[in-house]
Amino acid sequence: MNQHTLSMRLERVAAQVPIGARLADIGSDHGYLPVALMRRGAIAAAVAGEVALTPFHSAQRTVRENGLQLHISVRLASGLAAIEPQDAITAISICGMGGETIRDILQSGKTRLSGQERLILQPNGGEQPLRQWLMENGYRILCEELLQENRFYYEIIVAERGAAVTYSAEQLYFGPLQMQTRSPVFLAKWQRMLRQKQRMLTELARAQQTVPEHKVQEIAQQARWISELLG
Ligand code: SAM
């Protein structure tokens, strides 16, 4: 993967960035996503935010080597602190981190959100708490994608502020749109998850040390939801 050829995962994220957007890519690492989009003429400008020094330097290098310093600002900052009002950002991508980390970035940077931005989020696990945050903060999920690359499943959640929407506990767990579509990859993911949950429950039943009862009940509830979903 590089700034010319994105991974399938980042390619699917790129497809959700509106043409002509002013993009903030938070946790940009190497900066491949904003650089690839800028090279394709798909976005007008970008901010690449990074909290760690090594990836920050890596993003700076990618931008410099592509002669895009006038169009992409690389900033060393935590989360949405990379965004300034004058950037007039219209889309924010936060990809390749746990869902809880993405939620915390959104929560602690709330004052930097105008409410007009499209959020393109690619959590690695922790989708449920992330969807919960979106619902509680007035976001509607517009699109959800699930893809498998190598052995891993990746979710992409696209959300915008809109009329208030309430998702059920199951919708927050599985994804409201994915539950409707029931794609083959979605069903395969949850078949695998069901096997994992059942294994966990068997191991917990055998475990010597006591595991909090609410934890066991939570896993049992999830296993029931998955069984119902798969019919
Ligand atoms: N977004 C790229 C992708 O999806 O391929 C890189 C993902 S990489 C696994 C996660 C990056 O997020 C790391 O470079 C890390 O330094 C950065 N990161 C983690 N927490 C962050 C935060 N609070 N603010 C900005 N960057 C953060």
Side-chain angles (χ1 to χ4, degrees):
M1 180 175 66
N2 54 37
Q3 65 272 31
H4 312 286
T5 312
L6 296 175
S7 62
M8 188 190 4
R9 174 182 63 85
L10 282 184
E11 204 56 76
R12 299 312 306 154
V13 169
Q16 296 294 341
V17 178
I19 296 290
R22 298 179 65 85
L23 175 72
D25 184 41
I26 305 300
S28 199
D29 197 349
H30 29 62
Y32 292 159
L33 178 66
V35 169
L37 284 168
M38 202 72 225
R39 285 175 57 94
R40 296 172 189 177
I43 55 173
V47 169
E50 248 302 331
V51 76
L53 215 46
T54 305
F56 166 71
H57 287 143
S58 168
Q60 276 189 320
R61 194 169 49 250
T62 312
V63 169
R64 197 174 49 243
E65 284 173 2
N66 285 275
L68 291 172
Q69 299 94 314
L70 290 180
H71 304 280
I72 302 178
S73 307
V74 183
R75 298 189 187 142
L76 186 62
S78 180
L80 304 187
I83 300 175
E84 299 295 342
Q86 60 271 23
D87 297 325
I89 291 301
T90 60
I92 299 177
S93 51
I94 314 179
C95 305
M97 300 173 214
E100 287 94 344
T101 304
I102 297 178
R103 175 201 58 196
D104 294 346
I105 287 174
L106 292 169
Q107 176 62 24
S108 57
K110 248 163 117 169
T111 55
R112 306 247 170 184
L113 294 169
S114 72
Q116 303 304 309
E117 312 88 347
R118 168 177 286 204
L119 303 182
I120 304 138
L121 312 171
Q122 187 275 296
N124 292 340
E127 292 82 8
Q128 182 184 27
L130 179 57
R131 288 192 193 97
Q132 178 94 38
W133 186 93
L134 292 170
M135 178 177 81
E136 288 170 357
N137 287 274
Y139 284 85
R140 175 179 285 273
I141 297 174
L142 301 181
C143 174
E144 287 178 311
E145 225 179 291
L146 176 66
L147 62 114
Q148 189 175 17
E149 193 169 39
N150 306 318
R151 287 187 314 106
F152 299 102
Y153 291 106
Y154 297 106
E155 295 208 19
I156 298 168
I157 301 172
V158 183
E160 286 181 7
R161 274 263 180 87
V165 57
T166 305
Y167 298 117
S168 67
E170 287 93 330
Q171 286 176 317
L172 291 173
Y173 187 61
F174 294 112
L177 305 179
Q178 293 185 76
M179 268 181 97
Q180 280 175 6
T181 313
R182 295 173 66 88
S183 66
V185 62
F186 172 78
L187 296 174
K189 170 185 167 163
W190 289 106
Q191 273 152 6
R192 184 199 279 184
M193 290 296 280
L194 180 59
R195 286 193 296 275
Q196 275 179 19
K197 301 282 175 197
Q198 287 168 336
R199 235 186 346 260
M200 279 165 86
L201 287 169
T202 310
E203 279 161 19
L204 285 173
R206 275 205 223 112
Q208 295 300 318
Q209 73 272 42
T210 47
V211 179
E213 185 53 26
H214 75 268
K215 195 71 215 153
V216 180
Q217 287 308 323
E218 188 182 303
I219 300 168
Q221 169 73 274
Q222 292 168 349
R224 272 196 302 277
W225 280 343
I226 305 171
S227 300
E228 282 163 23
L229 174 97
L230 297 174

